[in-house]
Amino acid sequence: MAGSIRRRGANTWELTVDFGRDPVTGRRQRRFESFNGTKKAAQQRLTELLSTRDRGIDIQPTKVTLAEYLARWLTDYAAVSVAPSTLARYRIAIDKHISAHLGSRLLAELRPMDIQRLHSMCLGEKLSPRTVVQHHRIVREALKHAVLWQLIPTNAADAVSPPRFERAELAVLDAPGVLKLLRRAEGSFLHPMVFLAVHTGARSGEILALRWSDIDFEGRSLHIVRTVQRIAGEGIIFRPTKTARSRRTIGLSAATLDFLSARRQEDESTRTRRAEADGERLVFPQEHSGPYEPVQISHAFSKLVSGSEFEGLRFHDLRHTAATLMLSQNVHPKIVSERLGHASVHITLDTYSHVLPHLQDEAAAAMDRILDPARYVQQADGTDGKTAPHTYDRGQC
């Protein structure tokens, strides 16, 4: 017998799923579940249980709560699979909001309406829609592993749409604005970092982790292989960039090479030699030779632009500025994506869509230059005697 339904009362049913006979004892193995609802809904639930059984997942209800599971997921998966800073964000979101609202719910009984309720409660606490979307992604990722680990048959978060939010408009500078900013930064310890950020599009943590050995002056390139982060309980650490695509080689312009060469000469003339190899020295160290941390640069940059036309601009916006300038000069989005270290070109196109209308206009103008309507008509009918018309078979297109 595959499964059965037995009425126990008004809109109350007992569902039975048969697992066959135990190969050792010969006894029939069955699982039972009580269900409240209509008979049609009970039949649908039985179908789900049978499908779960056929996929080899234990359908015996577990007493593990969502909070207990999330704690285990953080330890067994997240702690060894994501960056320390990402793990810290996961812990805050789970402890302060997700487990606080849904932690007592049994993992096996979690339903889409519970996830929807989490959204409503977080929005009611004045969390931004963007933050609620981030919480939704954490829950969905955690439940995805619960499905893979055969703890639950389906991911309840897949059936819920997170709230929509409008992305903040990117703050970017045009070329004259970049030159004004660089002049304002002259004399500040930030000046070389600002210069490199707008010329390469590198992240602040990547710039602060640069060593002289990462710069290939002969090959005219810079290698991004690590970043700087502050981790609670560990202090400032160096770690590999967050994805394989983030580990990249960036071609350097002549102006950037000259700037870095002058920077290195200054570094060698003003700093005392230490035991480590010269190439292992940081390009942008603090006075005690240790690294700055990104938050220091963010705060210092905010002070630099305070009271100026650039007030409100963040250091990270220099990365957006670099990308926008490259795209506006018709640099191929794939190349821009590689220089930025994006996981895919789709991220680049989505993030910098504000530049795309300009690129569309350029593409249309380019086609006009290539296929001038008047010249094309003359050539197509052969009237000028110089260009024979060419036709394409549809199978070639």
Side-chain angles (χ1 to χ4, degrees), residues 11-281:
N11 289 328
T12 302
W13 312 87
E14 181 183 78
L15 311 182
T16 303
V17 179
D18 196 298
F19 281 78
R21 295 190 179 275
D22 187 293
V24 177
T25 66
R27 293 180 178 178
R28 175 174 290 177
Q29 301 178 97
R30 290 178 292 181
R31 297 287 187 271
F32 302 93
E33 180 177 308
S34 296
F35 183 86
N36 295 324
T38 65
K39 184 175 182 179
K40 182 177 181 180
Q43 290 172 333
Q44 292 175 340
R45 176 58 180 162
L46 178 61
T47 300
E48 292 176 3
L49 292 173
L50 293 173
S51 175
T52 300
R53 178 203 62 183
D54 294 341
R55 283 182 284 156
I57 300 176
D58 187 0
I59 65 173
Q60 187 70 26
T62 176
K63 299 301 182 182
V64 175
T65 64
L66 179 62
E68 292 169 339
Y69 168 72
L70 290 175
R72 186 66 180 270
W73 177 74
L74 285 173
T75 301
D76 292 351
Y77 170 77
V80 297
S81 303
V82 302
S85 58
T86 302
L87 177 62
R89 290 197 299 271
Y90 282 2
R91 290 191 187 279
I92 293 173
I94 288 172
D95 293 343
K96 293 186 64 176
H97 302 287
I98 300 171
S99 288
H101 294 307
L102 295 182
S104 61
R105 185 74 163 150
L106 292 180
L107 176 65
E109 296 180 358
L110 194 67
R111 297 291 180 265
M113 65 184 300
D114 298 315
I115 310 298
Q116 190 67 61
R117 183 162 57 90
L118 173 66
H119 295 173
S120 299
M121 289 187 291
C122 289
L123 290 171
E125 294 175 345
K126 305 303 181 183
L127 294 184
S128 70
R130 182 186 184 94
T131 300
V132 176
V133 169
Q134 293 171 349
H135 290 359
H136 176 85
R137 290 171 179 169
I138 294 172
V139 173
R140 186 177 61 187
E141 180 70 9
L143 295 182
K144 181 185 78 173
H145 288 91
V147 173
L148 293 174
W149 296 341
Q150 299 186 357
L151 297 175
I152 54 176
T154 58
N155 187 336
D158 285 341
V160 180
S161 298
R164 295 183 179 181
F165 66 92
E166 292 186 6
R167 291 186 176 180
E169 186 175 345
L170 295 179
V172 297
L173 303 177
D174 56 14
V178 169
L179 297 178
K180 286 183 181 179
L181 178 63
L182 286 171
R183 284 196 294 270
R184 183 175 182 83
E186 287 179 355
S188 165
F189 79 100
L190 287 174
H191 181 263
M193 303 178 201
V194 172
F195 183 97
L196 198 60
V198 296
H199 279 78
T200 65
R203 303 174 178 91
S204 61
E206 296 169 343
I207 292 174
L208 298 177
L210 281 175
R211 302 183 186 278
W212 287 114
S213 57
D214 298 325
I215 301 173
D216 183 354
F217 286 94
E218 292 186 2
R220 304 170 64 87
S221 61
L222 180 152
H223 306 292
I224 302 288
V225 296
R226 72 185 72 81
T227 187
V228 169
Q229 291 182 344
R230 172 175 285 280
I231 305 300
E234 298 183 41
I236 302 175
I237 65 169
F238 293 100
R239 66 178 310 277
T241 53
K242 63 180 182 179
T243 66
R245 291 291 182 90
S246 295
R247 294 187 286 278
R248 61 200 187 276
T249 298
I250 298 175
L252 298 178
S253 65
T256 306
L257 281 170
D258 290 343
F259 184 87
L260 289 172
S261 294
R263 170 80 184 172
R264 186 169 194 181
Q265 291 177 2
E266 178 184 350
D267 174 75
E268 292 175 344
S269 64
T270 59
R271 298 178 59 208
T272 58
R273 298 284 180 172
R274 295 194 306 277
E276 77 260 39
D278 289 349
E280 294 307 305
R281 296 206 306 268

Side-chain angles (χ1 to χ4, degrees), residues 357-369:
H358 165 74
L359 297 182
Q360 291 285 359
D361 293 342
E362 289 292 330
M367 294 305 294
D368 270 352
R369 290 193 296 272

Side-chain angles (χ1 to χ4, degrees), residues 306-358:
S306 178
S308 73
E309 61 185 293
F310 305 113
E311 184 154 12
L313 190 74
R314 305 169 304 160
F315 189 88
H316 191 74
D317 292 326
L318 303 181
R319 173 175 167 83
H320 297 319
T321 293
T324 300
L325 290 175
M326 285 187 284
L327 290 170
S328 66
Q329 292 300 308
N330 297 323
V331 177
H332 195 286
K334 177 65 174 173
I335 301 301
V336 177
S337 179
E338 291 174 355
R339 289 178 68 89
L340 296 178
H342 282 162
S344 73
V345 70
H346 300 293
I347 296 175
T348 310
L349 293 172
D350 185 48
T351 304
Y352 304 105
S353 58
H354 62 285
V355 190
L356 297 184
H358 165 74

